[in-house]
Amino acid sequence: MEFKNIILEKDGNVASITLNRPKALNALNAATLKEIDAAINDIAEDDNVYAVIITGSGKAFVAGADIAEMKDLTAVEGRKFSVLGNKIFRKLENLEKPVIAAINGFALGGGCELSLSCDIRIASSKAKFGQPEVGLGITPGFGGTQRLARAIGVGMAKELIYTGKVINAEEALRIGLVNKVVEPDKLLEEAKALVDAIIVNAPIAVRMCKAAINQGLQCDIDTGVAYEAEVFGECFATEDRVEGMTAFVEKRDKAFKNK
Ligand code: CAA
């Protein structure tokens, strides 16, 4: 698929998706959502990609779903648009590789929701966050009513969603919406450093950790720890587990092969 609204790049074992509709502040229209979907499919299939960075070009990460495109939707079409976004963001959330959101600017509505579908969020000091949907007469539609409360707690999520207020990066850090705030010109460098600190580890083990954490967030703890025991056991069948433990015992550097 040829991309018009995003840029997909690969550098070594890292893929990056840059939302690239800066004139519309990277607003998510159906075409952009479908390109994100195709990029996720590509990355999922590529065994050389161990981790992903998502960012935006210009002054926004993503300023939300495209309001111009939503303006004349019927109820049936509105639901379809939400189903489309939710399906793609859920696929991103469950992608078997860690995904870092490098939030360079506005992350509003669908933009905040996109970042919530990533594993880890780091932000530029210029970033702004919010779920302003109620001011447009709608609810969040790409998972905000579900993931925001899981990420920052029910009370804080309800305050943000009911008021639609926009918060700055420092406040986002204070409430745990992002892990770190950095100077704008250091954002991609920081995202890359974080990714590098992840991908030196055994990729299959990282994948299993992601699956176990995601699984555990939606079930009781007995089911969760049982799932953990299964993936823990599965790791023992990997070559990288043998390599990791042998290298430790032999006091040498390890060389993981994603096997
Ligand atoms: N959809 C469509 N176009 C958008 C957009 C959006 N969400 N956000 C910005 N744009 C467009 C503007 O219309 C403008 O286009 P023109 O130059 O053609 O007029 C261009 O991007 C630049 O925007 P502004 O001139 O408004 O820039 P600003 O710096 O003055 O303001 C802003 C920035 C505060 C982010 C403001 O653009 C804004 O409030 N945007 C809308 C934010 C919003 O409400 N997002 C939620 C959308 S609903 C949603 O996301 C539902 C869901 O959960 C799925």
Side-chain angles (χ1 to χ4, degrees):
M1 180 177 199
E2 196 191 324
F3 297 128
K4 296 200 176 97
N5 303 295
I6 67 167
I7 301 166
L8 171 63
E9 288 167 307
K10 293 177 189 172
D11 179 13
N13 295 115
V14 182
S16 62
I17 299 174
T18 304
L19 279 298
N20 191 34
R21 274 186 89 205
K23 282 190 185 145
L25 302 190
N26 303 326
L28 299 171
N29 55 11
T32 305
L33 285 170
K34 286 174 186 164
E35 290 186 19
I36 294 171
D37 188 37
I40 298 169
N41 290 341
D42 177 303
I43 290 167
E45 289 296 315
D46 189 339
D47 290 338
N48 286 322
V49 174
Y50 291 1
V52 185
I53 295 171
I54 300 187
T55 193
S57 62
K59 68 177 179 180
F61 175 69
V62 169
D66 191 314
I67 300 169
E69 195 174 87
M70 285 189 296
K71 195 173 101 17
D72 297 319
L73 296 186
T74 63
V76 169
E77 290 163 345
R79 180 182 173 281
K80 196 173 161 200
F81 189 52
S82 176
V83 168
L84 175 72
N86 270 317
K87 203 168 104 196
I88 296 165
F89 284 14
R90 186 79 176 123
K91 187 190 279 185
L92 178 65
E93 186 170 42
N94 284 328
L95 182 66
E96 294 184 332
K97 312 176 189 226
V99 183
I100 313 299
I103 302 153
N104 53 299
F106 293 109
L108 303 177
C112 189
E113 293 168 306
L114 174 62
S115 79
L116 286 164
S117 305
C118 299
D119 294 294
I120 299 171
R121 287 163 289 289
I122 61 172
S124 143
S125 55
K126 284 192 175 158
K128 299 255 192 299
F129 298 82
Q131 296 287 162
E133 286 89 346
V134 289
L136 297 165
I138 55 173
T139 65
F142 295 163
T145 62
Q146 305 305 305
R147 291 193 186 91
L148 192 59
R150 284 167 166 85
I152 62 170
V154 174
M156 204 57 89
K158 284 182 173 170
E159 182 178 332
L160 282 181
I161 290 174
Y162 295 176
T163 64
K165 72 178 173 185
V166 174
I167 60 169
N168 64 23
E170 281 308 319
E171 178 67 356
L173 181 66
R174 192 185 70 77
I175 64 175
L177 182 54
V178 300
N179 288 22
K180 194 171 188 180
V181 177
V182 299
E183 286 309 307
D185 60 342
K186 294 274 181 287
L187 181 66
L188 288 181
E189 208 176 293
E190 285 284 339
K192 188 74 177 47
L194 179 55
V195 152
D196 285 345
I198 295 171
I199 67 176
V200 292
N201 297 304
I204 297 172
V206 173
R207 166 161 68 79
M208 299 286 195
C209 290
K210 175 166 179 173
I213 294 169
N214 282 6
Q215 187 71 29
L217 281 172
Q218 54 180 353
C219 65
D220 64 276
I221 190 149
D222 290 325
T223 309
V225 293
Y227 187 85
E228 183 185 81
E230 292 303 322
V231 294
F232 184 79
E234 271 181 59
C235 288
F236 282 77
T238 66
E239 289 180 28
D240 284 348
R241 192 278 306 175
V242 175
E243 169 64 11
M245 292 187 179
T246 308
F248 177 82
V249 170
E250 293 176 356
K251 300 189 191 306
R252 61 165 172 81
D253 288 343
K254 58 219 168 188
F256 291 127
K257 290 191 282 190
N258 195 17
K259 285 187 178 158

